[in-house]
């Protein structure tokens, strides 16, 4: 039996935004087990945080969100490990692929597979392990909203075409656009989940929120980008944050530590306890894109996701209800 009463699970918690979120939570709640889950952990993140804080409450678990089979393996390992109830499930991991379109081993567009589909399956498989008042926090991005004029345009029509794009859709899309599209899906799915949590007596104490962390130079989000672009983003841009804010005419440019603290707030902050179905830009609640509020699109994505990730009729029915 675990010595910790509750746990917090953060996907992509080994680098950048997720790392600082995990560190903030571990420091604030030393009696909570904080699990950082990612495909790799090159910086030995859990050991680093534990050493810095002189604690032992952070643990790494391997998680590859890119395939349904590996997500299921992770969920099986979680259940067999008898971990304490999940107080916060932070669905944070994300990748973008700037080059040509690529597909996961399950046959769907890779950005959508990692940023949305893997996370949705993870939620469904771990739902029974969530605490009665658990918080689900989804990391999205302001690029999902064309009104933000980020220069990156998503193209969400329906889930089937995002997952397996037609030739026409491929011609219209590009790597960063596919990333923006996956972030539209994140927001749509979160709003569909919020309705289901509120409607069921079993889950009415649980909440889901969405956060845009802003542009964060210094993260490894664009690790698939060309070498020069990676170098600028990781090495140069973090040193010129005020200039970037001036150049881009927005204050929503932050170091990962700043956005990590904002993400942690949604997971454990007392001032946002009970808040659900809301979208935040850092610490500020704002409106998401006009498209994200279209209930028909939310339900279409939810239904497609259930059908794709569910295994068998009984499991799909549970997933459909948000269980």
């Amino acid at each position: 039996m675990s010595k910790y009463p509750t746990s917090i699970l953060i996907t992509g918690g080994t680098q950048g935004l997720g790392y600082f979120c995990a560190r903030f939570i571990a420091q604030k709640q030393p009696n909570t087990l904080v699990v950082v889950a990612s495909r790799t952990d090159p910086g030995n993140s859990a050991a680093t945080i534990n050493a810095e804080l002189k604690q032992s409450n952070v643990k790494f678990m391997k998680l590859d969100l890119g395939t349904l089979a590996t997500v299921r393996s992770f969920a099986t390992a979680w259940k067999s490990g008898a971990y304490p109830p999940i107080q916060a499930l932070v669905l944070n991991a994300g990748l973008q692929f700037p080059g040509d379109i690529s597909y996961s081993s399950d046959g769907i567009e890779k950005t959508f597979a990692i940023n949305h589909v893997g996370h949705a399956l993870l939620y469904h498989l771990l739902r029974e392990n969530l605490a009665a008042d658990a918080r689900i926090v989804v990391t999205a991005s302001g690029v999902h909203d064309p009104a933000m004029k980020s220069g990156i345009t998503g193209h969400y029509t329906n889930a089937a075409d995002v997952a397996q794009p037609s030739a026409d859709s491929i011609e219209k899309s590009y790597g960063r656009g596919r990333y923006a599209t996956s972030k539209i899906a994140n927001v749509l799915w979160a709003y569909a989940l919020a309705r289901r949590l509120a409607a069921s007596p079993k889950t009415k104490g649980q909440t889901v929120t969405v956060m845009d962390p802003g542009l964060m130079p210094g993260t490894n989000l664009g690790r698939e980008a060309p070498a020069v672009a990676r170098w600028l983003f990781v090495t140069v841009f973090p040193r010129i944050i005020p200039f970037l804010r001036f150049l881009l005419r927005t204050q929503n440019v932050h170091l990962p530590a700043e956005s990590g603290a904002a993400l942690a707030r949604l997971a454990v902050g007392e001032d946002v306890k009970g808040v659900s179905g809301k979208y935040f830009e850092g610490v500020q609640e704002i409106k998401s894109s006009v498209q994200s509020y279209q209930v028909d699109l939310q339900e279409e994505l939810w239904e497609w996701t259930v059908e794709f990730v569910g295994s068998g009729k009984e499991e799909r029915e549970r997933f459909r209800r948000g269980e």
Side-chain angles (χ1 to χ4, degrees):
M1 184 175 180
S2 174
K3 66 178 181 179
Y4 300 103
T6 58
S7 61
I8 290 176
L9 174 57
I10 304 167
T11 69
T14 61
Q15 301 180 65
L17 172 67
Y19 173 88
F20 287 104
C21 174
R23 191 187 187 287
F24 184 93
I25 292 173
Q27 185 174 33
K28 187 176 178 65
Q29 298 192 182
N31 295 320
T32 298
L33 176 65
V34 179
V35 178
V36 292
S38 187
R39 188 169 54 89
T40 61
D41 187 19
N44 205 1
S45 58
T48 300
I49 295 173
N50 285 332
E52 289 177 351
L53 300 180
K54 296 180 174 56
Q55 297 173 184
S56 59
N57 62 320
V58 184
K59 173 184 173 66
F60 168 74
M61 288 182 68
K62 183 178 177 62
L63 168 62
D64 182 355
L65 288 160
T67 70
L68 301 183
T70 53
V71 174
R72 287 185 178 276
S73 294
F74 177 89
T76 298
W78 184 277
K79 294 173 190 297
S80 64
Y83 292 100
I86 300 170
Q87 192 64 53
L89 176 60
V90 184
L91 304 177
N92 164 73
L95 272 179
Q96 57 178 275
F97 302 90
D100 293 337
I101 191 168
S102 57
Y103 295 86
S104 74
S105 60
D106 296 304
I108 60 174
E109 195 279 313
K110 208 167 185 178
T111 319
F112 184 65
I114 294 169
N115 295 358
H116 165 63
V117 175
H119 277 135
L121 177 59
L122 182 67
Y123 164 77
H124 286 299
L125 295 176
L126 294 182
R127 206 217 65 77
E128 65 185 36
N129 298 93
L130 298 178
D133 58 347
R135 303 184 197 184
I136 299 94
V137 184
V138 180
T139 299
S141 172
V143 301
H144 90 279
D145 186 355
M148 293 296 181
K149 298 181 180 178
S150 64
I152 303 175
T153 304
H155 184 64
Y156 189 93
T157 50
N158 60 74
D161 194 46
V162 173
Q164 296 172 319
S166 64
D168 182 57
S169 292
I170 292 173
E171 187 175 338
K172 291 178 181 177
S173 69
Y174 59 105
R176 289 186 176 85
R178 289 188 287 273
Y179 173 77
T181 300
S182 75
K183 293 301 169 179
I184 298 171
N186 286 157
V187 185
L188 290 168
W189 182 84
Y191 289 163
L193 174 59
R195 276 198 307 280
R196 286 163 172 80
L197 293 178
S200 172
K202 295 179 182 179
T203 58
K204 63 181 180 181
Q206 297 173 356
T207 61
V208 57
T209 52
V210 191
M211 192 188 98
D212 164 26
L215 178 64
M216 291 180 297
T219 67
N220 207 25
L221 175 65
R223 57 184 173 270
E224 303 293 333
V228 173
R230 288 200 310 271
W231 176 76
L232 287 170
F233 194 73
V234 173
T235 306
V236 178
F237 289 174
R239 302 172 185 271
I240 58 170
I241 296 289
F243 175 71
L244 289 174
R245 288 172 176 162
F246 170 77
L247 183 68
L248 300 173
R249 298 181 182 180
T250 177
Q251 292 299 303
N252 197 25
V253 183
H254 306 282
L255 290 172
E258 295 175 298
S259 292
L263 185 63
R265 169 184 174 246
L266 291 178
V268 300
E270 283 298 316
D271 62 322
V272 289
K273 185 176 182 179
V275 174
S276 190
K278 302 298 183 181
Y279 180 90
F280 290 79
E281 183 181 86
V283 298
Q284 184 69 39
E285 181 186 330
I286 67 169
K287 291 290 186 181
S288 53
S289 69
V290 172
Q291 186 182 44
S292 70
Y293 291 106
Q294 294 183 25
V295 174
D296 59 333
L297 289 183
Q298 296 167 12
E299 292 302 307
E300 176 272 328
L301 173 64
W302 186 273
E303 180 63 22
W304 180 91
T305 304
V306 164
E307 286 297 318
F308 188 79
V309 305
S311 177
K313 182 178 179 181
E314 182 179 345
E315 187 177 76
R316 288 191 181 98
E317 283 304 315
R318 283 195 292 108
F319 288 2
R320 187 168 283 112
R321 296 190 299 269
E323 300 175 3

